Amino acid sequence: MKTFLKLAVPSIILCMIINAAIHTWENLPHIYKEDYALIYENELRDMFGPDCEIGEKRTVTIEAEDCGCGYHSDGYIYDEWTLTYKDQEGYTHTQIINNMTEPKYQQLSWLKYQLASYYKQKYMLAPFPEGTFQDLSVEDYMGKSYCFAFIGYPVGGVTMDKKEEYDRTKAAADQYMNRLRESLLDEQNRITFYNLDYTTVFNTYPVNISMDFSIDDADLQGMKKEAHEKQILNKISEIMENFRKDTAYTGNLAVSVSSNNGSCELYNGKKSQSYYILRGEWFQPEESNREYEWQLYFSYEDIFW
């Protein structure tokens, strides 16, 4: 027994040391120190314009997470910079570049952010008095009101009866997205954000724009609420028609309108009102927005995937 303990104790201690070392190693942060603003300055100015402003470096720290239940999340220490520039229509945009991945790998996220920023400024903020909608500003990316841009597979969910078709179509879209990411690594295909052509972008990429308008009118009732919301809905129909024309009748747009983010009913008793433009044409789903997503996928079949 004594011999066994003499052999076992050192082994147990060694295992404890190894486990502690592994735990410490797993929780060491990934550290990125390269000065991308300097290293890639010429490349960034090619993409965002010679007059783009590159802000001061900010260091970001994300702590590792290890709950002891099997979940682990790595920690990171990296730097980021804010780029400010104007597009060819004069709208100002800001992008964040970080030094965890080279700029050429960040292009698609920048493209989605610029499209959302552009359509928010032109179609959600400019046409309406300030305060018409909740949480809507250039700076706020997401609130009760927002604008998102999606690139790639448009179908957001699936029922069991469409599972096989969903798997097939998603695989085809994923293959396209892999080819797109690969092509953007070529300098010849680099996106020039400052002169992005909004009239052709929907023919260049499978883009879908989503706008959510949350009307700030919880204090209105009766005829005042009805008149106020009818005026807004008419204006939204008008800007959607402008969207059709401005995208040369190629754009995709899903709009949702609610009162106080759905906490209040609209004047007509509905929680929300939805409108769609599919490849430049008005579209009305018979059942749900999922129909719009499927039709959007099929409209790009044999074009992108």
Side-chain angles (χ1 to χ4, degrees), residues 73-224:
S73 176
D74 287 353
Y76 298 88
I77 298 176
Y78 63 92
D79 299 319
E80 65 179 25
W81 297 260
T82 298
L83 292 90
T84 305
Y85 62 101
K86 289 183 180 294
D87 64 18
Q88 63 177 348
E89 292 193 18
Y91 290 96
T92 299
H93 306 283
T94 59
Q95 302 279 11
I96 303 296
I97 173 178
N98 66 66
N99 62 352
M100 291 193 291
T101 55
E102 295 178 46
K104 60 187 177 182
Y105 294 104
Q106 301 181 51
Q107 291 182 82
L108 280 181
S109 62
W110 289 336
L111 177 59
K112 289 187 285 187
Y113 196 87
Q114 177 170 326
L115 290 173
S117 171
Y118 168 75
Y119 289 114
K120 179 196 288 185
Q121 292 183 67
K122 185 170 183 177
Y123 297 104
M124 298 183 75
L125 286 168
F128 298 95
E130 186 177 354
T132 302
F133 305 107
Q134 297 174 306
D135 300 340
L136 186 62
S137 69
V138 176
E139 295 77 18
D140 290 332
Y141 182 66
M142 182 176 181
K144 292 182 178 180
S145 302
Y146 56 83
C147 179
F148 289 157
F150 301 93
I151 300 174
Y153 192 58
V155 182
V158 63
T159 53
M160 288 307 298
D161 60 312
K162 282 187 170 289
K163 181 68 166 59
E164 185 175 340
E165 186 173 28
Y166 175 88
D167 291 341
R168 176 186 65 80
T169 54
K170 190 174 187 308
D174 288 346
Q175 290 174 12
Y176 160 77
M177 291 301 294
N178 289 335
R179 293 194 302 271
L180 175 59
R181 294 186 187 96
E182 186 70 25
S183 72
L184 290 176
L185 301 183
D186 188 334
E187 184 177 338
Q188 299 298 319
N189 299 322
R190 183 184 295 163
I191 301 173
T192 51
F193 295 92
Y194 71 103
N195 64 4
L196 186 68
D197 189 347
Y198 298 106
T199 64
T200 62
V201 71
F202 293 90
N203 285 336
T204 308
Y205 310 99
V207 175
N208 182 32
I209 304 299
S210 176
M211 298 181 185
D212 200 305
F213 297 86
S214 177
I215 303 173
D216 190 4
D217 68 345
D219 57 336
L220 295 182
Q221 295 181 354
M223 297 299 293
K224 288 185 177 181

